[in-house]
mmCIF file of all heavy atoms in Angstrom:
data_model
loop_
_atom_site.group_PDB
_atom_site.id
_atom_site.type_symbol
_atom_site.label_atom_id
_atom_site.label_comp_id
_atom_site.label_asym_id
_atom_site.label_seq_id
_atom_site.Cartn_x
_atom_site.Cartn_y
_atom_site.Cartn_z
ATOM 1 N N ASP A 514 -11.273 -28.050 -28.182
ATOM 2 C CA ASP A 514 -10.644 -27.791 -29.402
ATOM 3 C C ASP A 514 -10.783 -28.991 -30.279
ATOM 4 O O ASP A 514 -11.124 -28.923 -31.438
ATOM 5 C CB ASP A 514 -9.072 -27.560 -29.199
ATOM 6 C CG ASP A 514 -8.779 -26.034 -28.941
ATOM 7 O OD1 ASP A 514 -9.681 -25.241 -29.194
ATOM 8 O OD2 ASP A 514 -7.677 -25.772 -28.349
ATOM 9 N N LYS A 515 -10.571 -30.211 -29.660
ATOM 10 C CA LYS A 515 -10.646 -31.434 -30.452
ATOM 11 C C LYS A 515 -12.080 -31.635 -30.888
ATOM 12 O O LYS A 515 -12.313 -31.967 -32.121
ATOM 13 C CB LYS A 515 -10.173 -32.607 -29.673
ATOM 14 C CG LYS A 515 -10.153 -33.892 -30.398
ATOM 15 C CD LYS A 515 -9.117 -34.861 -29.674
ATOM 16 C CE LYS A 515 -9.072 -36.242 -30.412
ATOM 17 N NZ LYS A 515 -10.187 -37.167 -30.100
ATOM 18 N N ASP A 516 -13.022 -31.372 -30.030
ATOM 19 C CA ASP A 516 -14.463 -31.587 -30.402
ATOM 20 C C ASP A 516 -14.909 -30.620 -31.394
ATOM 21 O O ASP A 516 -15.881 -30.857 -32.155
ATOM 22 C CB ASP A 516 -15.337 -31.503 -29.133
ATOM 23 C CG ASP A 516 -15.151 -32.773 -28.252
ATOM 24 O OD1 ASP A 516 -14.877 -33.820 -28.872
ATOM 25 O OD2 ASP A 516 -15.437 -32.652 -27.057
ATOM 26 N N ASN A 517 -14.316 -29.400 -31.525
ATOM 27 C CA ASN A 517 -14.707 -28.383 -32.436
ATOM 28 C C ASN A 517 -13.923 -28.296 -33.736
ATOM 29 O O ASN A 517 -13.959 -27.391 -34.486
ATOM 30 C CB ASN A 517 -14.815 -27.088 -31.752
ATOM 31 C CG ASN A 517 -15.976 -26.949 -30.800
ATOM 32 O OD1 ASN A 517 -17.097 -26.677 -31.243
ATOM 33 N ND2 ASN A 517 -15.831 -27.325 -29.550
ATOM 34 N N GLY A 518 -13.073 -29.351 -33.896
ATOM 35 C CA GLY A 518 -12.317 -29.405 -35.179
ATOM 36 C C GLY A 518 -11.261 -28.417 -35.210
ATOM 37 O O GLY A 518 -10.642 -28.173 -36.377
ATOM 38 N N ASN A 519 -10.771 -27.828 -34.130
ATOM 39 C CA ASN A 519 -9.627 -26.996 -34.122
ATOM 40 C C ASN A 519 -8.377 -27.839 -33.951
ATOM 41 O O ASN A 519 -8.383 -28.912 -33.457
ATOM 42 C CB ASN A 519 -9.641 -26.052 -32.847
ATOM 43 C CG ASN A 519 -10.927 -25.181 -32.906
ATOM 44 O OD1 ASN A 519 -11.447 -24.942 -33.988
ATOM 45 N ND2 ASN A 519 -11.346 -24.679 -31.732
ATOM 46 N N ASN A 520 -7.255 -27.213 -34.318
ATOM 47 C CA ASN A 520 -5.889 -27.857 -34.079
ATOM 48 C C ASN A 520 -5.709 -27.981 -32.525
ATOM 49 O O ASN A 520 -5.983 -26.987 -31.886
ATOM 50 C CB ASN A 520 -4.872 -27.134 -34.754
ATOM 51 C CG ASN A 520 -3.488 -27.749 -34.634
ATOM 52 O OD1 ASN A 520 -3.057 -28.128 -33.465
ATOM 53 N ND2 ASN A 520 -2.826 -27.975 -35.676
ATOM 54 N N TYR A 521 -5.348 -29.144 -32.110
ATOM 55 C CA TYR A 521 -5.162 -29.283 -30.529
ATOM 56 C C TYR A 521 -3.784 -29.696 -30.170
ATOM 57 O O TYR A 521 -3.563 -30.094 -29.127
ATOM 58 C CB TYR A 521 -6.246 -30.308 -29.982
ATOM 59 C CG TYR A 521 -6.331 -31.623 -30.803
ATOM 60 C CD1 TYR A 521 -5.508 -32.626 -30.444
ATOM 61 C CD2 TYR A 521 -7.188 -31.759 -31.799
ATOM 62 C CE1 TYR A 521 -5.644 -33.836 -31.090
ATOM 63 C CE2 TYR A 521 -7.278 -32.918 -32.518
ATOM 64 C CZ TYR A 521 -6.479 -34.032 -32.062
ATOM 65 O OH TYR A 521 -6.557 -35.132 -32.766
ATOM 66 N N ASP A 522 -2.861 -29.530 -31.120
ATOM 67 C CA ASP A 522 -1.445 -29.887 -30.817
ATOM 68 C C ASP A 522 -0.864 -28.975 -29.645
ATOM 69 O O ASP A 522 -0.380 -29.434 -28.635
ATOM 70 C CB ASP A 522 -0.522 -29.679 -32.006
ATOM 71 C CG ASP A 522 -0.772 -30.686 -33.075
ATOM 72 O OD1 ASP A 522 -1.486 -31.710 -32.841
ATOM 73 O OD2 ASP A 522 -0.272 -30.524 -34.200
ATOM 74 N N LEU A 523 -1.186 -27.667 -29.768
ATOM 75 C CA LEU A 523 -0.671 -26.797 -28.715
ATOM 76 C C LEU A 523 -1.475 -26.871 -27.419
ATOM 77 O O LEU A 523 -0.894 -26.981 -26.348
ATOM 78 C CB LEU A 523 -0.760 -25.319 -29.312
ATOM 79 C CG LEU A 523 -0.404 -24.216 -28.342
ATOM 80 C CD1 LEU A 523 1.090 -24.295 -27.831
ATOM 81 C CD2 LEU A 523 -0.569 -22.806 -28.968
ATOM 82 N N SER A 524 -2.832 -26.823 -27.538
ATOM 83 C CA SER A 524 -3.576 -26.798 -26.266
ATOM 84 C C SER A 524 -3.481 -28.143 -25.537
ATOM 85 O O SER A 524 -3.418 -28.239 -24.321
ATOM 86 C CB SER A 524 -5.091 -26.579 -26.567
ATOM 87 O OG SER A 524 -5.678 -27.345 -27.570
ATOM 88 N N GLY A 525 -3.260 -29.325 -26.410
ATOM 89 C CA GLY A 525 -3.137 -30.559 -25.690
ATOM 90 C C GLY A 525 -1.770 -30.675 -24.952
ATOM 91 O O GLY A 525 -1.670 -31.158 -23.819
#
Side-chain angles (χ1 to χ4, degrees):
D514 275 341
K515 188 159 175 280
D516 287 333
N517 284 277
N519 301 335
N520 185 305
Y521 49 89
D522 291 347
L523 175 61
S524 54

